[in-house]
């Protein structure tokens, strides 16, 4: 029996493991290209220091990559173990990009990462460079397909429901791949990864410079990270705006929630800079608004209206009522007692089938739904405002601050005075963890904002789970907590250990600290 | 499945982390991790196959929501564990043959010993499992007319349980006996080659044996994928587990294009890294390897 507790625990487990997975993904995406850039410089100039840079940052990349892969397996497993009905209902569409991801991207990156580490002496310079590029391309292709799958959850195009097989079936692969929601998400997400990778290299290099060690190594790394990070931070903002535009079109509930827009305003709507949203009273306190800004940003026009939450709920009530007819007709079709009139009913109302299914949370037989239940379901069709409002704003503020830091770093590295600007270096060190926070906030906005759906407008979250017991869920969550905490401790230990060791960990005898053991024993 | 997942955790992490701290205890802990990450999934995949052959207690509700009505411990029954032994010994056998190709000296001698032991175990376990299936095991038969072209709906058929029915396909098409035949022939030849210190040939032969073993289970069960012991009608067959036509078509092209590419670059990667791994090589590359 699927209870609310099963649904909540399944969501908690998926959210926790997904957040955890995404601690490792952005660094893989960003660092892989930084490695490719460093190695390109090495192959072009023949300067050994660039090879050492590639190797050293590659070591840190490897520590991170191992956990990215490990936690990624969890994600794919969970669709089967915890979201069985989801897998049945949309596997026909959702499965294809995941399978292609494995075939096209995952095999590529995981084969070549092996050669990246073990092939330094067995391959020619150019061949090894090719390997590094293929690893980078592989991990980014991986992101393409995963985000196509995710984009479809947000904006389910190219598919339709079949009552014989009781599932969604693909009608156009092209629509699925070129889903505007997926495209915007992909570029926004990989740019965020590039920012993360750049900030990582920038911060650690800055730390070496503050410590006055491995200066040549750190300066070169800093410059590359500053340039790449500057471009990426710019693109993350521009493409985040594009992503927001896609949301305006396809997910009005998400937009209304993250803007805390309770009432429809005359176009162009104002942008709420600050407010304390109150989900109970359905209003914002202490609002600071910028007139017209939201309407212009989100719709890119001066006269398109953005619906507020009240209006969206009223629309949801209508769709739920229409959905009830679809659900009833579907039950007859399944029982093979449907006449032509029922079939016609189903065809007319099937676009609202998902809205009818929303009522299954309150009653097994949707035709018995009371007006209160319908009102409640409509209310729950909007994600809660306060969490959306805040996470979105934290993400945006962080995004702009990254841009500012990279702009300064780039400016001073062009003038070649950055090593004297100790305040800048200190800021760079403090900024290291922030891109992760921004990325996780971004995912929160995207996925929490999709509620109460797993597939937006099609399949409600509370119908998507497996029929598993609460006990086995507690067991699996405890297991994940145990293993994941252990793995994180080990990974952080290694990261800090190798970041502290710096390039001396390569054992070339050219870097700071390598003669230290002898000195220490002398003291 | 969660056991497999948690065991798999150790693999990527283990490979990367085992040399990162120069402490024998650290190395040994991660090597145990790698051992668990390799052996547990190998065992559990076999256990899963053993359960598929027996049928699993589950059914579909009207909206095609699958419901499992068994317990976790019910999955660890004697036949399933025997199947687990088949897959674990089979994969260890194959791995040992590969290790013989890539090594020399002590490691080579140990790999050869492992190959001989696990090859024998595999053949023994596979034989016992075969006799068990033929004499005492309920198989599943579709009793309604099947329209392979119809839209997939698992509840649209009737299914019966008959003892020994898993041999029907072999009886109907005697040529299929070649599949278990390949398992035995490959296994025996691989043992022989390992004994005669011809690791490349042993590796090829144990590869054939693997295809034979997995193929035997596949042939026996066809067209069933996951039979239901509690509600045979809910059993999944190849016809009612398929994706839609378009999805299959997309995946067909994707596989046709990418599988050869994957095989090519994987082959290239192996070729680049080919050759015996010797003590001298490991020592000279101590720092740069990873």
């Amino acid at each position: 029996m699927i209870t609310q507790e099963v649904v909540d625990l399944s969501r908690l487990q998926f959210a926790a493991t997904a957040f955890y997975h995404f601690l490792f993904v952005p660094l893989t995406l960003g660092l892989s290209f930084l490695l490719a850039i460093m190695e390109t410089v090495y192959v072009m100039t023949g300067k050994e220091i660039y090879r050492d840079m590639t190797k050293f940052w590659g070591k840190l990349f490897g520590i991170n990559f191992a956990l990215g892969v490990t936690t990624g397996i969890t994600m794919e497993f969970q669709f089967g173990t915890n979201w069985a009905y989801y897998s049945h209902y949309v596997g026909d569409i959702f499965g294809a990009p995941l399978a292609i991801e494995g075939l096209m991207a995952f095999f590529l990156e995981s084969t070549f990462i092996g050669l990246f580490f073990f092939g330094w002496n067995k391959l020619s310079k150019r061949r090894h460079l090719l390997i590094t590029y293929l690893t980078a391309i592989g991990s980014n292709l991986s992101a393409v397909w995963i985000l196509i799958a995710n984009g479809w959850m947000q904006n389910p195009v190219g598919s339709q429901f079949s009552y014989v097989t009781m599932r969604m079936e693909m009608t156009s692969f092209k629509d699925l791949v070129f889903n505007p929601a997926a495209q915007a998400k992909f570029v926004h997400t990989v740019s965020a990864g590039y920012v993360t990778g750049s900030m990582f290299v920038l911060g650690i290099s800055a730390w070496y410079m503050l410590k006055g060690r491995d200066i040549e190594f750190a300066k070169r790394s800093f410059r590359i990270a500053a340039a790449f990070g500057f471009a990426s931070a710019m693109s993350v903002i521009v493409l985040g705006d594009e992503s927001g535009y896609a949301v305006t079109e396809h997910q009005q509930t998400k937009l209304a929630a993250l803007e805390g827009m309770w009432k429809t305003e005359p176009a162009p709507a104002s942008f709420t800079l600050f407010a304390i949203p109150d989900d109970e009273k359905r209003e914002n306190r202490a609002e600071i608004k910028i007139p017209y800004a939201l309407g212009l940003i989100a719709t890119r026009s001066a006269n398109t209206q953005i619906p507020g939450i009240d209006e969206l709920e009223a629309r949801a009530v209508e769709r739920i009522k229409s959905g009830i007819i679809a659900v009833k007709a579907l039950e007859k079709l399944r029982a093979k007692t449907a006449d032509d009139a029922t079939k016609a009913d189903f065809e007319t109302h099937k676009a609202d089938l998902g809205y009818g299914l929303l009522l299954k949370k309150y009653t097994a037989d949707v035709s018995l739904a009371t007006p209160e239940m319908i009102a409640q379901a409509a209310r729950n069709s909007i994600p809660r405002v306060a969490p959306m409002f805040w996470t979105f704003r934290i993400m945006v503020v962080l995004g702009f601050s990254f841009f500012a830091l990279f702009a300064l770093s780039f400016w001073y590295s062009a003038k070649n005075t950055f090593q004297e600007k100790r305040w800048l270096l200190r800021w760079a060190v403090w900024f290291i963890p922030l891109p992760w926070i921004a990325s996780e906030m971004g995912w929160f906005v995207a996925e929490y904002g999709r509620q109460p759906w797993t597939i937006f407008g099609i399949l409600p979250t509370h119908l998507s789970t497996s029929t598993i017991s609460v006990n086995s869920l507690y067991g699996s969550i405890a297991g994940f907590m145990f293993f994941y905490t252990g793995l994180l401790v080990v990974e952080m230990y290694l990261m800090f250990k190798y970041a502290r060791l710096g390039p001396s960990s390569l054992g070339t005898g050219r870097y700071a600290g390598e003669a230290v053991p002898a000195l220490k024993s002398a003291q | 499945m969660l056991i497999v997942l948690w065991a798999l955790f150790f693999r990527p992490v283990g490979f990367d982390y085992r040399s990162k701290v120069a402490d024998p205890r650290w190395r040994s802990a991660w090597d145990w991790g790698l051992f668990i990450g390799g052996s547990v999934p190998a065992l559990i995949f076999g256990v899963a196959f053993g359960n598929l052959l027996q049928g699993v207690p589950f059914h579909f509700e009207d909206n095609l929501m699958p419901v499992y009505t068994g317990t976790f411990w019910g999955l660890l029954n004697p036949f399933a564990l025997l199947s687990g032994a088949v897959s674990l010994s089979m994969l260890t056998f194959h791995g040992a043959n590969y290790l013989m190709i890539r090594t020399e000296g002590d490691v080579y001698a140990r790999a050869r010993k492992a190959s001989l032991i696990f090859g024998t175990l595999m053949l023994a376990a596979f034989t016992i499992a075969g006799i068990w299936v033929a004499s005492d095991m309920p198989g599943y038969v579709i009793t309604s007319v099947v329209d392979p072209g119809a839209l997939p709906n698992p509840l649209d058929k009737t299914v019966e349980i008959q003892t020994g029915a898993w041999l029907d396909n072999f009886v109907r098409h005697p040529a299929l006996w070649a599949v278990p035949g390949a398992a035995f022939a490959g296994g025996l030849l691989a043992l022989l080659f390992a004994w005669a210190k011809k690791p490349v040939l042993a590796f090829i032969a144990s590869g054939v044996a693997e295809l034979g073993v997995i193929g035997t289970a596949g042939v026996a069960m066809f067209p069933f994928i996951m039979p239901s012991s509690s509600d045979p009608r809910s059993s999944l067959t190849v016809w009612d587990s398929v994706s839609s036509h378009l999805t299959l078509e997309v995946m067909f092209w994707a596989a046709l294009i990418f599988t050869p590419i994957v095989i090519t670059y994987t082959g290239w990667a192996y070729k680049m890294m080919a050759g015996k791994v010797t003590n001298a090589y490991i020592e000279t590359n101590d720092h740069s390897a990873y």
Side-chain angles (χ1 to χ4, degrees), chain A residues 131-152:
Chain A
I131 300 291
T132 310
Y133 269 100
L134 286 173
T135 310
I137 291 169
S139 52
N140 281 267
L141 272 179
S142 204
V144 174
W145 290 104
I146 296 297
L147 289 166
I148 285 175
N150 181 266
W152 186 78

Side-chain angles (χ1 to χ4, degrees), chain A residues 13-28:
Chain A
Q13 179 177 316
F14 197 89
T17 52
F19 276 137
Y20 190 84
H21 177 52
F22 214 75
L23 290 176
F24 308 104
V25 177
L27 191 57
T28 299

Side-chain angles (χ1 to χ4, degrees), chain A residues 204-279:
Chain A
I204 296 177
S205 307
W207 187 73
Y208 294 147
M209 285 188 268
L210 286 171
K211 293 270 163 197
R213 51 180 272 207
D214 298 318
I215 295 292
E216 284 310 304
F217 186 94
K219 267 169 71 177
R220 287 183 164 82
S221 302
F222 187 95
R223 268 203 209 105
I224 290 176
F228 190 59
F230 178 63
S232 312
M234 198 145 46
S235 103
V236 93
I237 292 170
V238 173
L239 298 162
D241 170 59
E242 187 64 34
S243 209
Y245 185 63
V247 167
T248 313
E249 252 178 281
H250 310 297
Q251 289 178 309
Q252 295 175 326
T253 51
K254 187 186 275 180
L255 182 73
L258 69 83
E259 294 302 348
M261 217 171 77
W262 300 102
K263 305 249 181 310
T264 309
E265 290 178 26
S270 56
F271 178 81
T272 311
L273 198 59
F274 178 87
I276 301 169
D278 185 334
D279 277 292

